Amino acid sequence: MPTTTTDPPIDHVTLPDGTRLAWRQLGAGPAVLLVHGWPTSSHLWRNVMMPIGERHRVLALDLPGFASSTKPATGRFGFERFEQALTRFLDHLGIERVALAGHDLGGPVVVHWALRHPDRVTRLALLNTLLYPEFSPAVVEFVT
């Protein structure tokens, strides 16, 4: 399968709370959303986007506060904020159902989203991540 070492171009969308999200996209077909970990960005997915994009619409998002996405002006980071960002991003693009892949911190983010939107998830892939039935206060403090 061919790969690329060049990132697909960045596009932006501004959410109702003023957060500007950066994202990349390739291909057409069923949607696949790639969510990076900490402290990376959508750039992490540059070598897998082209092969996935051969049969799917593949999107890689910079989470709020990372890389080319802005940090929300108010409030703390947390799973609820990331959930809102993913939901509003997908809604903006008109994507009803999506396959999710999460790496590192992106793993718990996509699992959180999937548990709250199970009817919208077609597949779930987790890469090099940790999941717990409940997060310790230290993990919650780190994420938020």
Side-chain angles (χ1 to χ4, degrees):
M1 283 188 184
T3 61
T4 179
T5 56
T6 305
D7 285 340
I10 293 178
D11 201 352
H12 294 90
V13 60
T14 301
L15 302 180
D17 69 357
T19 303
R20 187 170 185 239
L21 296 178
W23 57 286
R24 306 163 192 276
Q25 140 174 270
L26 283 176
V32 176
L33 177 61
L34 308 173
V35 180
H36 65 83
W38 184 88
T40 62
S41 68
S42 59
H43 177 76
L44 171 78
W45 302 104
R46 69 195 175 281
N47 291 326
V48 299
M49 287 186 74
M50 189 175 289
I52 295 171
E54 290 176 3
R55 295 187 181 174
H56 297 84
R57 179 182 183 187
V58 60
L59 308 124
L61 177 68
D62 287 346
L63 288 170
F66 289 83
S68 296
S69 290
T70 61
K71 181 178 179 181
T74 61
R76 295 183 58 144
F77 284 99
F79 291 109
E80 289 75 22
R81 185 170 293 258
F82 291 135
E83 176 190 356
Q84 284 182 346
L86 293 183
T87 301
R88 290 176 177 165
F89 172 69
L90 293 170
D91 289 349
H92 173 79
L93 295 177
I95 297 172
E96 291 296 320
R97 294 178 48 85
V98 64
L100 300 166
H103 171 259
D104 188 66
L105 174 65
V109 169
V110 298
V111 167
H112 178 91
W113 193 87
L115 289 171
R116 282 152 182 77
H117 305 275
D119 55 321
R120 295 184 73 176
V121 178
T122 60
R123 302 277 190 275
L124 180 64
L126 303 173
L127 299 96
N128 193 31
T129 192
L130 298 171
L131 295 175
Y132 301 95
E134 293 184 27
F135 289 104
S136 73
V139 170
V140 171
E141 183 63 27
F142 176 76
V143 172
T144 60

